[in-house]
Amino acid sequence: MNLGSFIREVNSTCPLVATHINADPDALASVVLVDLILRERYGLRSTIFIPQGPSRLSKRALKALNLPVKVQEELTAEFDSVIVVDTSTSKLLGDLADKIMEKAVMVIDHHIPPGDLVSISKASLIREEIATVSLVLQLEEFSSISIPPNIATLAVLGIIYDSRRFSRATPVSLNTVARLMLDGANYENALKLFSMVEEDLSSRIAKLKGAQRASIVRFGSYLVTVTHVGSHEALVARTLVSMGADLAFVIGGKDELRISSRARNSFVEKTGIDLGKFMRDLERYLEGKGGGHLTAGGFNGKGDPQEAMRVIMRLLEEALF
């Protein structure tokens, strides 16, 4: 698959490259790589749109790697097509959600099953993989485009982030990292950037508060924790699992509802619970959109955190008993 076929089919001259709210390193690297193709191969000036901006770690990576990427956090640009990466769900696109249905759309995403955008897209590359970066780099254009070392390092960071420092991997993800290192990616720098989120003062406070506020519920031999924090939900969920929980749910957000979940591989293997599906099931009871993978899921929407906790516990009890 290549971007050129899509661009020519829809006769696009000002494409928009978009990803989900609060873009993590994989999402950020994916939009940067797509933008690279559009500029280097087709001479197009695209606009990168990230609703609510990149995540804290992504912002640090841009600064550390000296990548002056211009990002719109509120959609003001004119565009005639949209290339969406690392999500296929319109509700995760912020201001773009209400406008995207009127445009020609291409979707590249590693989340399975796909969301509502696939049904309206002119082209799509949807495949379960560790990171969307691996799918973007399978586009034909990269056979003839040189990737700058700082962008290659960002892409490696994206894979490290989504693989949880390679606690899970596939041949494609490992081959992608090897290819990026041949392009000049600095693996050690990518690891250092990944560890920065662990050392940040606000993230350390979030982990401590999350642990302090956590409720522990025992389901047979499994330990499930539920807690709430103001930020760093995914990090806190990973921390609770590393501390001994089999499954962790962390609820955050002020004007919005954000839920992050993480589970041990052994818990998923023994119970058959798929956190991506579990978070999508929340859509039946809470306003918003959920998704993810077997051992990691997320939900973004609106609602009362206490009600969200009750719904989670009820669905979990139904799934386990």
Side-chain angles (χ1 to χ4, degrees):
M1 175 178 281
N2 62 61
L3 284 179
S5 297
F6 169 73
I7 294 296
R8 287 189 293 271
E9 179 185 352
V10 302
N11 195 28
S12 179
T13 58
C14 49
L16 183 75
V17 186
T19 189
H20 57 76
I21 292 169
N22 200 225
D24 56 60
D26 179 42
L28 177 64
S30 296
V31 294
V32 170
L33 286 167
V34 169
D35 177 68
L36 179 66
I37 291 178
L38 294 171
R39 286 187 290 106
E40 295 293 322
R41 184 68 179 272
Y42 301 109
L44 295 174
R45 288 183 173 273
S46 64
T47 299
I48 294 177
F49 174 61
I50 302 178
Q52 299 181 19
S55 68
R56 286 185 177 90
L57 177 57
S58 294
K59 288 178 180 177
R60 290 197 188 102
L62 288 175
K63 183 177 181 180
L65 295 171
N66 193 27
L67 274 169
V69 177
K70 293 183 179 180
V71 171
Q72 282 199 2
E73 298 183 13
E74 295 184 3
L75 190 55
T76 59
E78 295 292 328
F79 58 97
D80 57 13
S81 68
V82 187
I83 302 163
V84 179
V85 298
D86 203 37
T87 185
S88 56
T89 302
S90 60
K91 286 190 177 181
L92 297 182
L93 297 177
D95 297 342
L96 181 58
D98 295 330
K99 302 175 182 178
I100 195 168
M101 302 301 176
E102 306 166 1
K103 304 294 182 179
V105 178
M106 179 177 182
V107 181
I108 305 174
D109 188 25
H110 70 137
H111 296 96
I112 301 294
D116 59 320
L117 292 178
V118 173
S119 63
I120 66 159
S121 64
K122 294 280 187 181
S124 63
L125 176 55
I126 308 292
R127 191 177 306 149
E128 189 167 16
E129 189 44 69
I130 295 297
T132 297
V133 160
S134 294
L135 299 183
V136 172
L137 287 171
Q138 290 177 29
L139 294 170
E140 292 176 12
E141 285 88 350
F142 278 114
S143 63
S144 59
I145 291 179
S146 176
I147 303 174
N150 54 355
I151 294 179
T153 301
L154 177 65
V156 170
L157 173 62
I159 297 174
I160 291 173
Y161 182 86
D162 266 24
S163 68
R164 292 187 291 174
R165 201 177 292 184
F166 288 101
S167 63
R168 57 194 186 98
T170 63
V172 171
S173 62
L174 294 172
N175 284 332
T176 301
V177 171
R179 178 241 170 114
L180 289 165
M181 291 177 70
L182 290 173
D183 283 329
N186 188 314
Y187 188 83
E188 289 75 16
N189 280 353
L191 275 179
K192 288 178 183 177
L193 286 168
F194 178 78
S195 66
M196 285 173 67
V197 71
E198 304 287 344
E199 299 169 356
D200 176 80
L201 179 61
S202 65
S203 65
R204 286 158 52 199
I205 291 173
K207 289 193 290 185
L208 291 170
K209 286 186 175 180
Q212 182 184 46
R213 298 167 179 169
S215 298
I216 303 172
V217 183
R218 186 169 178 175
F219 287 89
S221 61
Y222 302 117
L223 297 178
V224 178
T225 60
V226 182
T227 190
H228 61 95
V229 292
S231 61
H232 298 291
E233 295 85 7
L235 174 61
V236 173
R238 290 197 302 270
T239 300
L240 291 172
V241 169
S242 71
M243 292 173 66
D246 293 291
L247 173 62
F249 292 94
V250 181
I251 300 175
K254 295 180 180 178
D255 300 324
E256 60 178 345
L257 180 67
R258 297 192 306 269
I259 306 172
S260 185
S261 60
R262 295 294 186 273
R264 292 178 181 271
N265 287 324
S266 58
F267 174 82
V268 170
E269 290 169 359
K270 291 176 182 177
T271 64
I273 290 178
D274 177 340
L275 285 185
K277 180 181 182 301
F278 188 94
M279 301 308 267
R280 286 190 295 275
D281 287 344
L282 292 181
E283 297 173 13
R284 290 183 287 158
Y285 307 96
L286 302 171
E287 182 182 353
K289 281 287 183 179
H293 307 281
L294 285 173
T295 60
F299 182 92
N300 286 272
K302 297 179 181 179
D304 175 50
Q306 293 300 320
E307 175 62 18
M309 285 188 184
R310 287 191 288 270
V311 170
I312 288 169
M313 287 296 106
R314 185 171 72 250
L315 291 180
L316 189 58
E317 187 171 358
E318 291 174 359
L320 289 174
F321 297 106

